[in-house]
Amino acid sequence: MKSKNYIVIDGFNVTNVWEWGQILSSNYSIFQNNNFVTATDSGTRGSLRFINSNYNKILNNIFFDGNDNLFFENSNNNLIINNILVRGRHSLLSLAC
């Protein structure tokens, strides 16, 4: 997702993919009630990755068996509540500048 604002992603099951998603320069979106299971990439793309994306909400999701399960780079004021993060092969949660 690139340069999109105010998008709601709700109730998706994303399994056995290269990466769960890449959110670029996108703001004020909501990701809730999703299941992200088995991202096969061995780098930071094996995750749900936010880059230059601000004021997003990540609520009530399950992240299982990614490489870096939930990854934020140059992203500010994002809200992460009530998520389950299990078996990140490299990390469960990454914050990078």
Side-chain angles (χ1 to χ4, degrees), residues 32-51:
Q32 64 186 12
N33 306 313
N34 301 294
N35 294 306
F36 298 99
V37 179
T38 310
T40 59
D41 187 21
S42 61
T44 59
R45 290 175 303 206
S47 63
L48 182 61
R49 183 165 65 157
F50 292 80
I51 300 172

Side-chain angles (χ1 to χ4, degrees), residues 47-64:
S47 63
L48 182 61
R49 183 165 65 157
F50 292 80
I51 300 172
N52 299 320
S53 297
N54 306 299
Y55 299 100
N56 296 291
K57 294 180 181 180
I58 299 87
L59 313 169
N60 306 312
N61 300 287
I62 296 172
F63 298 90
F64 179 81

Side-chain angles (χ1 to χ4, degrees), residues 79-94:
L79 182 65
I80 305 166
I81 294 179
N82 201 33
N83 296 280
I84 298 171
L85 294 97
V86 179
R87 200 166 72 189
R89 293 184 301 276
H90 182 254
S91 70
L92 295 174
L93 175 64
S94 297

